[in-house]
Amino acid sequence: MVNAAQEKLAVATAHVLIIVQNLPVPLDRRVWLECQALVARGYEVSVICPKGPGDPGRQQLSGVRIYKYRPAPQASGVLGYLLEFVYCWIRTALLANRVWRDRPFSIMQACNPPDTYWLLARIWRRRGVRFVFDQHDLNPELFLSRFGTPTSLSGRAQLAALRWLEKQTYAAADRVISTNESYRKVAITRGGMDPDAVTVVRSGPDTSVMRPVRPHEPAEVAPGSGEKSRRHTLAYLGIMGPQDGVDTVLEVMEELVHRRGRTDVDAVLMGFGDCLEDLKRRCTELGLDDVVTFTGRAGSALIAKHLSSAAIGLCPDLKTPLNDVSTMNKTMEYMAYALPSVSFDLVETRVSAEDSALFVPSGDVAAFTDAVETLLDDPELRVELALRARERAAKVLDWGPQSAAYVSVYDSMCAIQQTTTAVDGFEYVDLDDPDALRQFVLTRGPLTT
C-alpha cells in the first residue's frame, strides 16, 4: 500500500517529456491541457515542439518547461514532407538530450502526426524511459481521405510506409492514449495493443474557461428603425487543410447571399492551414469579401469573442475514412460556447453532439444551407439546441473527467495508486465502489449486538 508521503515523493520524482510536431504549445489546446493535468498532479513536465511566430527558443509557462525549435520550411510533395519529418526528428532528438541534461525524464509521450518518434522512444528505452503514444490522427486514413485509394506504385508505397510507421509506433508503445472509441478499436485490432493498455482521453473543452462572454460594446440600433442590431454570424474554427472541407462554408455563404438574397448573414473563419490562401482567393472570386472574414491564427480571446457572438457553428468536414472516426474539436468548442451547429453526418461527430446539432448527408451543400437557414429563421430552435449543447459540453465532454483518465495512465505506469482525498483527518467514502458504499451505509449509526 502506498501512503500519502510515498505517493507524493513518487510523483515528484517523475519527469514526463512530451513531444509534439503538429502545433506549438500552448497553442495546441489538447497538449496544453494534458501538461496542466500532469503538473497539477505533481509531475514535472517538459515539452519539445516547433516555434510559433515570435516564440522564444525556451520558456517556462505555468510550471511547464518548453523547448522549441525553428519550424521546417513549408513542405510540398513527397520529398518535401520527408525532409520536414527528418528535420523535425533531428531537432527533437537534439533537444531531448538537452532536456535530459537539465533533468532526466522517465516517460516520453509523442503526439502524432507524424508517426516517426517511435525510433526516438526505442533509443531512450535503453535508459529506462517508457513510451506513451498519444494518437491524435490515423495517418493511413488521412492519406486515403486526401488522395483516395492509390493506384500508382508511388501512392501504394506511400500508404504502405504510413501503415508501417503506425505499426512501429504501436509496437514501441507501453501505453496508447486514444481520442475516442473508434481510435481505440484501431489500436487494439490493427495495432495489436492489449485493451488494458489503451485509454480513451477525449479532447474535451475546459468548460470553466471556454464559456460564453458578453461583448464589451453591445451593438446600437436607432430606436424605431426596425433594423437588427447586427447580422447573424456563421462561425468556423479549425485547421484549413484539404480534408477539412472549409470551401463548403464559402459555398453556403454564396447560396445564402447571392442566390437566396439574404442580407442578414456573415461568416467568420478562424484558423490557418495549407488551404488558407486558396480559400481567400476563392472568397474574392465569389464576391463574398464584404461578408466573410478570415482571422488567421486565433487565440483564446478572439475565439471567445467570435463564438460568443456567432449564431451558428459550422462543421463542414466531409465523410472520409479519417473524418468519420475522428473527434472534431470544433464541434465540442462550439458546444462549450452554447452554439448550435450544423454538420455533415459523421459517426464520431454524432457521438460528441448528439441532439445539439443538425446533421445532413455528407457533401449535400443544399441540405447544409437549408439547415443553416432553418436555424437562422427559428430563434427558439437555436435556443433549444444551444442549451443542449452547453449542458452536454459541461456534464459529459468537459476536460475534468478526461483529465482524470489521462493522469491515471501515468499513475499506473509509475505504480502510484489513485487515492481519495482526506479532509480534516477524515477519509472520503469511495462512491465508485458499490460494495464499499453498501458496507458504509449498513455500518452507519448505532452498532447492533
Side-chain angles (χ1 to χ4, degrees):
M1 187 73 174
V2 180
N3 63 36
Q6 291 172 322
E7 178 179 313
K8 184 176 181 180
L9 178 62
V11 174
T13 58
H15 179 197
V16 179
L17 171 62
I18 298 178
I19 295 169
V20 56
Q21 180 180 317
N22 204 33
L23 287 172
V25 172
L27 181 63
D28 190 314
R29 181 176 62 80
R30 175 185 173 91
V31 175
W32 186 241
L33 288 173
E34 290 175 342
C35 292
Q36 294 301 291
L38 290 175
V39 168
R41 178 64 169 154
Y43 289 90
E44 290 191 53
V45 181
S46 297
V47 175
I48 297 175
C49 65
K51 289 182 180 179
D55 286 353
R58 184 172 177 181
Q59 60 187 145
Q60 183 161 333
L61 296 173
S62 303
V64 180
R65 291 187 291 268
I66 308 175
Y67 300 74
K68 298 188 176 184
Y69 57 88
R70 186 187 302 276
Q74 185 71 34
S76 176
V78 176
L79 181 59
Y81 283 112
L82 178 61
L83 291 175
E84 177 186 345
F85 295 157
V86 171
Y87 168 84
C88 292
W89 195 96
I90 292 174
R91 293 300 302 268
T92 297
L94 293 173
L95 284 175
N97 281 310
R98 180 175 174 181
V99 173
W100 181 271
R101 289 195 302 269
D102 290 343
R103 173 80 164 85
F105 47 90
S106 56
I107 302 176
M108 174 187 294
Q109 172 184 316
C111 312
N112 80 332
D115 293 331
T116 55
Y117 292 104
W118 58 270
L119 179 57
L120 192 61
R122 289 199 180 278
I123 292 172
W124 281 98
R125 178 163 289 172
R126 292 180 294 181
R127 295 192 183 184
V129 176
R130 304 180 72 188
F131 180 46
V132 175
F133 176 34
D134 187 11
Q135 188 166 28
H136 296 186
D137 275 316
L138 299 174
N139 287 314
E141 278 75 7
L142 176 58
F143 179 92
L144 292 170
S145 298
R146 293 187 67 167
F147 306 113
T149 302
T151 56
S152 67
L153 180 61
S154 173
R156 290 195 296 270
Q158 292 174 53
L159 180 58
L162 291 174
R163 287 172 172 163
W164 182 81
L165 289 170
E166 181 189 71
K167 181 178 180 180
Q168 297 305 311
T169 305
Y170 283 132
D174 295 288
R175 297 292 297 269
V176 171
I177 296 172
S178 301
T179 56
N180 58 44
E181 290 293 342
S182 295
Y183 277 33
R184 181 175 186 269
K185 182 178 179 180
V186 170
I188 295 169
T189 56
R190 193 163 77 200
M193 296 295 301
D194 182 339
D196 291 337
V198 186
T199 302
V200 172
V201 179
R202 292 182 175 275
S203 299
D206 181 351
T207 58
S208 67
V209 176
M210 301 191 84
R211 54 189 296 178
V213 297
R214 297 187 185 280
H216 293 301
E217 299 178 0
E220 297 181 358
V221 183
S225 66
E227 296 179 0
K228 295 186 178 181
S229 60
R230 57 175 172 80
R231 293 170 173 152
H232 294 297
T233 298
L234 312 182
Y236 173 86
L237 171 64
I239 299 298
M240 299 179 181
Q243 71 277 6
D244 299 302
V246 191
D247 53 323
T248 296
V249 176
L250 300 181
E251 293 180 43
V252 169
M253 284 298 295
E254 182 190 26
E255 175 69 22
L256 289 171
V257 174
H258 294 323
R259 298 180 185 175
R260 304 190 185 186
R262 297 197 72 121
T263 59
D264 62 344
V265 63
D266 58 26
V268 57
L269 281 65
M270 294 172 280
F272 61 97
D274 296 344
C275 295
L276 176 57
E277 295 306 317
D278 289 338
L279 288 167
K280 288 181 177 179
R281 284 192 290 271
R282 182 60 177 157
C283 181
T284 300
E285 291 172 359
L286 295 174
L288 296 172
D289 286 343
D290 59 335
V291 290
V292 175
T293 300
F294 292 89
T295 69
R297 191 187 300 264
S300 57
L302 192 62
I303 290 171
K305 171 186 174 182
H306 286 300
L307 292 190
S308 296
S309 60
I312 303 169
L314 303 181
C315 305
D317 313 83
L318 293 168
K319 192 179 186 72
T320 67
L322 177 68
N323 290 345
D324 205 29
V325 296
S326 296
T327 298
M328 302 298 174
N329 288 341
K330 68 174 77 68
T331 303
M332 296 185 290
E333 289 163 351
Y334 298 154
M335 296 170 69
Y337 283 96
L339 192 60
S341 58
V342 176
S343 173
F344 287 132
D345 197 353
L346 307 179
V347 169
E348 284 295 336
T349 302
R350 274 196 178 272
V351 171
S352 295
E354 285 197 343
D355 59 355
S356 68
L358 299 184
F359 293 93
V360 300
S362 176
D364 191 336
V365 177
F368 199 106
T369 308
D370 288 343
V372 168
E373 197 161 37
T374 295
L375 285 174
L376 291 176
D377 294 337
D378 191 339
E380 291 302 320
L381 180 59
R382 290 204 307 275
V383 169
E384 182 181 348
L385 295 188
L387 295 179
R388 290 179 193 168
R390 175 62 197 182
E391 181 179 25
R392 181 166 174 77
K395 292 185 177 180
V396 179
L397 303 175
D398 185 78
W399 174 247
Q402 307 306 319
S403 172
Y406 174 72
V407 170
S408 72
V409 173
Y410 286 87
D411 285 353
S412 66
M413 294 178 74
C414 296
I416 299 168
Q417 296 184 4
Q418 294 287 328
T419 59
T420 54
T421 304
V423 59
D424 294 332
F426 295 96
E427 181 184 353
Y428 285 130
V429 175
D430 187 354
L431 300 179
D432 295 324
D433 185 340
D435 291 335
L437 181 58
R438 181 176 185 276
Q439 187 63 27
F440 167 75
V441 173
L442 290 175
T443 57
R444 186 165 51 187
L447 297 176
T448 57
T449 57

